[in-house]
Amino acid sequence: MQLILNSISTAAVNLLVFSAIPFLWWFFRHRKETSFFRWLGFIKPKLNGKWWTLVVFAIIYYFFYTFDFTRWIPQETMDYLENSGSVSVNAFAGIGAAAILPALIENFIANGVAEEILYRGFLCKLFCHKLGTVKGILLQAALFGLMHNALYLLAGLQVGLWYHTLMFLFTGMAALLLGWLNEKIYNGSILPSILLHGAGNFISSMLTAFSFL
């Protein structure tokens, strides 16, 4: 029960923090034009172009997601991270089915919804409008990668420059793919990236919970 309450608390805090700037920006600049959620991209996904572009994306994303970048990380660093209380997924380690509900809450709301609101809903669309679609997607991806570096630094995790570099590249590439999915394959809806982001994190949590990692 405590784990569920912690996940609810994390989800609530993340939603407030990640939505604050987008909401204020919308309120002062766009509230007379459209609703907040439509402005962010909470609209029905509609495939742009040919169906095979989605198939190609799915193949690329599958190989990206299943690629184990941790093979390039020293074992002592991995052991350190797996035993750190600052790494959120460790809360689910080895607890099996008891992790399903709190992981669903944390992965789909605290990560999937909250992070997508700020990065693909707000920043990506803002940058795409100002700089063009490709540059906008690339810039939000870089900021998403840097956010993960910053979170590790704020948590006081001693992982070294090499780990930070790999983390930036891995999370940045994920953000690039999610931004591309929304803006180039679909019609600007952020629902596809919310579902994919949440599902990816949830799978990782389940692998940890059932001791597959």
Side-chain angles (χ1 to χ4, degrees), residues 2 9 11 22 33 40 84 118 133 138 158 161 208:
Q2 186 60 46
S9 175
E33 303 165 12
L40 285 174
S84 173
L118 178 60
T133 304
L138 287 171
Q158 305 299 316
L161 180 60
T208 300

Side-chain angles (χ1 to χ4, degrees), residues 144-157:
F144 190 74
L146 289 172
M147 177 195 72
H148 286 80
N149 294 140
L151 290 175
Y152 271 64
L153 291 172
L154 290 172
L157 291 167

Side-chain angles (χ1 to χ4, degrees), residues 59-69 71 170:
I59 293 171
I60 293 172
Y61 193 84
Y62 171 79
F63 282 106
F64 163 77
Y65 188 78
T66 55
F67 179 77
D68 182 17
F69 83 99
R71 70 181 72 179
F170 184 78

